[in-house]
Amino acid sequence: GLDTPNIVAAAEKVMSRKYIEEVRSLNVSATVKFVLEEFCSLWLRLDDQISAFNKKLAEQAQADSLYQRSQTFYTGSKKFKKIAG
């Protein structure tokens, strides 16, 4: 027969790729399967985009940190020259 997932239990689950695969494997009517597949695909695409965005943010944060450290070193060495000179 068709699966009748517990909607309350499903609402309490944390979305994950594993859970998406569980949803995709449900034995439901063709119409429900089509809608679930559309939403699962959309969620996976958004998850991939968010992961790529987070990776870029991490790279930018690292670059900003290196820039900040080099600026601190540069301004610190200029201050030292003023004091020493």
Side-chain angles (χ1 to χ4, degrees):
L2 297 178
D3 290 339
T4 53
N6 182 337
I7 300 301
V8 174
E12 293 174 356
K13 281 212 173 234
V14 173
M15 291 303 291
S16 66
R17 287 184 175 269
K18 181 181 176 186
Y19 182 64
I20 291 295
E21 292 309 317
E22 288 176 28
V23 170
R24 281 181 156 170
S25 69
L26 290 174
N27 182 21
V28 293
S29 71
T31 303
V32 173
K33 186 80 162 171
F34 174 79
V35 172
L36 286 176
E37 184 58 37
E38 289 298 310
F39 281 116
C40 288
S41 295
L42 174 62
W43 189 89
L44 291 171
R45 282 193 310 274
L46 290 172
D47 188 55
D48 288 342
Q49 288 177 339
I50 290 168
S51 294
F53 184 72
N54 286 338
K55 182 179 176 186
K56 290 286 184 188
L57 283 176
E59 290 170 0
Q60 186 62 48
Q62 185 177 7
D64 288 349
S65 175
L66 291 172
Y67 175 77
Q68 187 69 21
R69 282 187 275 165
S70 68
Q71 287 299 100
T72 301
F73 176 77
Y74 175 73
T75 40
S77 64
K78 285 179 72 176
K79 287 178 185 174
F80 178 75
K81 287 180 183 176
K82 285 183 182 179
I83 294 171

